[in-house]
Amino acid sequence: MRRTLATFLPLLLLWALLAQVNHLLAPLHLYLFAGGLFVAYAALVLPWRDGLAAVLLAGLLCDADAPVRLGTHLLLFAAAHAVVGNIRDRVPRDETVARVIVALLVNLALFLALSFVLIGRGPAPAAVWPRVFLDLAASQVFIALVAPWFFALQARTLVLARVERDRLA
């Protein structure tokens, strides 16, 4: 349980920071989505059960303020966790670059899935796609820049919670 909570706390911080960044970007009509960061580390590094529990909590957290039905992020994050969990033995998961690439691919898949869920609600769905792709590009750049710091934060949180040993020592 301590490992799940130690993984969830940085996800809670990411959620709060992302909400603030999106609030600042709102006048520019730009939205950042970082679903890949909510899933990648837990799916690549943690044991299956602990990672899934952290991802499910993060999905519920993201559902809380999103304009989707309750459980949408939860199900998408759980599916992404399952996919990444099945390929994690083929990925060099100790390398930051590999983790960032996985986070970018997961983010791409989650962003497109949520876009298809939400696109039908608008009056002119075809007219929205250019903005969707601009948001996707901005989100991917954001993840590429923030992911190394965030993965280090998650690893350090696990060390501070005394559920993992410090790999640098």
Side-chain angles (χ1 to χ4, degrees):
M1 185 68 164
R2 196 167 31 169
R3 181 176 287 138
T4 300
L5 290 176
T7 304
F8 178 69
L9 287 177
L11 296 176
L12 180 63
L13 175 67
L14 174 66
W15 175 79
L17 290 174
L18 200 56
Q20 293 302 311
V21 169
N22 281 326
H23 179 72
L24 290 172
L25 293 174
L28 301 174
H29 304 285
L30 192 62
Y31 176 77
L32 296 180
F33 177 76
L37 286 178
F38 285 98
V39 175
Y41 188 85
L44 288 173
V45 176
L46 297 180
W48 176 262
R49 180 176 285 164
D50 295 332
L52 182 62
V55 166
L56 291 177
L57 287 172
L60 286 173
L61 184 65
C62 291
D63 277 334
D65 70 342
V68 294
R69 287 197 170 124
L70 185 64
T72 302
H73 284 93
L74 178 120
L75 291 174
L76 289 174
F77 285 7
H81 183 271
V83 169
V84 174
N86 284 329
I87 65 164
R88 76 189 226 166
D89 291 334
R90 295 180 215 118
V91 175
R93 53 189 171 174
D94 290 335
E95 296 180 20
T96 303
V97 174
R99 290 177 184 174
V100 171
I101 291 171
V102 168
L104 288 169
L105 292 173
V106 169
N107 195 66
L108 173 68
L110 290 172
F111 187 92
L112 291 176
L114 276 172
S115 295
F116 282 114
V117 166
L118 295 174
I119 202 82
R121 293 183 179 183
V128 176
W129 281 109
R131 180 172 178 256
V132 168
F133 288 126
L134 179 65
D135 289 347
L136 175 61
S139 298
Q140 296 294 78
V141 169
F142 174 78
I143 286 179
L145 294 174
V146 171
W149 165 79
F150 188 67
F151 293 150
L153 175 68
Q154 285 186 305
R156 191 66 185 152
T157 304
L158 288 172
V159 170
L160 290 173
R162 296 183 181 164
V163 291
E164 292 216 4
R165 289 184 27 224
D166 194 359
R167 295 181 186 187
L168 299 176

